[in-house]
Amino acid sequence: MTTFADLYKPVKDFFGKNFVSDNRVDLTAKNDGAKFAAFMEQKKDTCSGELSLENSVDVGSQPVKFKFTSNSGGRCIVKLTTSPSAIKGLEVNGQADMDIAAAGDNYDVDATYKKDKVAITAAMKNGKGKSVLDGSASVGICPKGLSVGGSGSYSLKSSKLETFSYGAQYGTKGQSFGFVVTDNKKMKAGCTVDTTSNGNPVTIGAEVVNNLTADPAVDTFTVGVQTKLSDQLVKAKLNQKGALNLALQTTFGKGAKATFGVGTNVKQMNGINAAVKLELGEA
């Protein structure tokens, strides 16, 4: 069952994965269940980077996943995830986001429960002088492949509902459609469709982002295409503002991949951003 946070994931991944908006270099390596990742990027005149390590350990008879992240901004993040064997469908996460340089730590605990066609998530977030309760739910309904849901964030300090969202997703083999509305002010809606061309798999997609309280309402309208040629994944997307992004992913060796991305604005022609991502398979 899909959680509310993942209702829009097929469209989000289609228009997000492998594309680039900044100059960036990624490296990912996996070995015996452990995963190491690092990246460096440049935004305007600022360079930043991040290191992370993921693995799992057994605490008694209970497996626990952990992820440790450290970035150049002076933050360290530790996340623990476990699924208690006594309650099937339950997953619990705990995260500590600590600022090494100064005060400003954040601590989060959340739990997700999935059963049949229902997924429920509850979270408690503490940090920056306030505590927030988050909750979301999604349910699968007829026809098959349709899910609807909603979420909300409630501030314990102000005793007010800070944000709320609702949305839906319909997915079948070869196609998906989804939309999410936030605070009745912003809406994202998109779709992807699989087809073939000259025997090669092709996916085409479209996404519109609307500001429901502004005129004109459409912030961005984006179209994209993805295909696979001789074990190479090729992607492209373009919006009405002229932002063009291209991506090429190729495999080499056992379980190793390299992804190259470039981005520019064809209307303004104000420079090109580039990125390289290397992913190494099991050693």
Side-chain angles (χ1 to χ4, degrees):
M1 179 59 208
T2 302
T3 62
F4 176 75
D6 289 336
L7 278 187
Y8 198 67
K9 192 173 187 300
V11 177
K12 181 181 178 181
D13 286 350
F14 179 79
F15 285 102
K17 277 189 174 181
N18 303 324
F19 289 119
V20 57
S21 58
D22 301 293
N23 297 311
R24 176 168 172 147
V25 177
D26 284 73
L27 174 64
T28 302
K30 298 178 181 179
N31 183 38
D32 195 25
K35 179 181 178 181
F36 170 81
F39 76 80
M40 292 186 64
E41 67 179 357
Q42 180 181 11
K43 293 183 178 181
K44 295 183 179 180
D45 296 327
T46 302
C47 291
S48 61
E50 183 177 283
L51 299 172
S52 68
L53 174 66
E54 298 179 54
N55 208 342
S56 61
V57 295
D58 290 333
V59 180
S61 59
Q62 182 66 47
V64 177
K65 298 178 182 178
F66 72 86
K67 181 178 181 180
F68 174 79
T69 304
S70 179
N71 63 39
S72 58
R75 304 200 72 89
C76 286
I77 303 172
V78 179
K79 182 178 181 180
L80 302 177
T81 302
T82 186
S83 299
S85 56
I87 307 177
K88 187 177 180 180
L90 177 65
E91 181 181 274
V92 180
N93 297 284
Q95 177 172 292
D97 181 351
M98 298 163 286
D99 191 335
I100 298 174
D105 299 343
N106 302 298
Y107 300 95
D108 304 339
V109 177
D110 69 78
T112 298
Y113 180 69
K114 298 179 181 180
K115 186 175 182 180
D116 299 328
K117 296 183 178 181
V118 177
I120 300 173
T121 298
M124 178 70 175
K125 300 181 178 181
N126 294 282
K128 298 180 180 179
K130 65 179 182 178
S131 297
V132 176
L133 287 175
D134 283 354
S136 68
S138 62
V139 59
I141 59 177
C142 292
K144 185 178 180 180
L146 177 62
S147 298
V148 298
S151 70
S153 295
Y154 181 81
S155 172
L156 297 179
K157 185 176 182 179
S158 63
S159 298
K160 293 181 179 180
L161 184 66
E162 290 194 331
T163 62
F164 67 93
S165 303
Y166 55 90
Q169 172 186 283
Y170 177 71
T172 60
K173 186 176 181 180
Q175 62 182 4
S176 67
F177 167 80
F179 77 89
V180 175
V181 178
T182 303
D183 296 333
N184 282 338
K185 295 179 180 179
K186 185 175 182 180
M187 181 185 75
K188 288 184 177 181
C191 64
T192 63
V193 178
D194 295 341
T195 184
T196 59
S197 177
N198 297 323
N200 297 312
V202 177
T203 302
I204 56 176
E207 180 186 48
V208 60
V209 179
N210 277 13
N211 188 332
L212 302 178
T213 60
D215 185 22
V218 176
D219 282 345
T220 57
F221 176 72
T222 308
V223 293
V225 62
Q226 171 183 298
T227 188
K228 198 169 186 179
L229 305 171
S230 302
D231 295 327
Q232 293 184 328
L233 184 69
V234 182
K235 298 182 72 172
K237 67 176 180 178
L238 175 69
N239 69 24
Q240 94 282 7
K241 297 180 180 180
L244 173 66
N245 292 88
L246 306 173
L248 170 67
Q249 185 179 85
T250 185
T251 59
F252 61 96
K254 184 179 178 181
K257 294 184 292 185
T259 304
F260 307 91
V262 294
T264 189
N265 190 297
V266 295
K267 288 185 176 181
Q268 300 175 1
M269 298 302 292
N270 56 353
I272 297 176
N273 295 320
V276 178
K277 183 177 182 179
L278 301 177
E279 300 174 80
L280 306 180
E282 297 283 350

